[in-house]
Amino acid sequence: MTAPEELGATAQATDWRPRLGSGIILRHDAVRHADLLVMPERIVLLEGGAVAVLRLCDGERTVAEIVERLRADFPGAPVADDVTEFLDRVRGEGWVR
């Protein structure tokens, strides 16, 4: 697996506009009441704030804009640190680019 730093900018870079990787779909399973990240040959059950972050990864919003949006939705939460750490990790997994 490639480290996020080797891929170029990390989530700390304010100009990165993350989006889901090619062939990856964010889906809500109404039967199981669960949010899933559907990838070729793999499905990931999403928990916590992961869904809120990934829904905003549309390739249009910068990381800074995502953080600001989530700060408004979750006042008092350590959004900036959590979001940038999460995005760096999932970028390393290839879930976002």
Side-chain angles (χ1 to χ4, degrees):
M1 201 60 52
T2 305
E5 302 81 41
E6 295 172 359
L7 294 171
T10 66
Q12 297 292 331
T14 58
D15 59 343
W16 179 34
R17 297 175 187 273
R19 66 179 178 272
L20 292 178
S22 180
I24 298 177
I25 301 167
L26 183 60
R27 178 173 298 174
H28 179 74
D29 184 334
V31 173
R32 293 179 185 88
H33 304 289
D35 292 298
L36 309 170
L37 199 58
V38 180
M39 298 174 269
E41 301 182 23
R42 185 173 181 194
I43 295 175
V44 175
L45 175 64
L46 299 171
E47 297 178 344
V51 175
V53 175
L54 291 174
R55 280 193 179 131
L56 296 173
C57 293
D58 58 6
E60 299 294 320
R61 295 177 179 97
T62 65
V63 172
E65 291 169 332
I66 292 170
V67 167
E68 287 308 310
R69 169 72 184 268
L70 292 171
R71 272 191 184 135
D73 292 346
F74 304 99
V79 172
D81 292 339
D82 290 351
V83 169
T84 55
E85 180 182 315
F86 174 73
L87 287 174
D88 283 340
R89 187 171 26 130
V90 297
R91 187 177 193 182
E93 292 287 333
W95 300 357
V96 295
R97 55 188 173 139

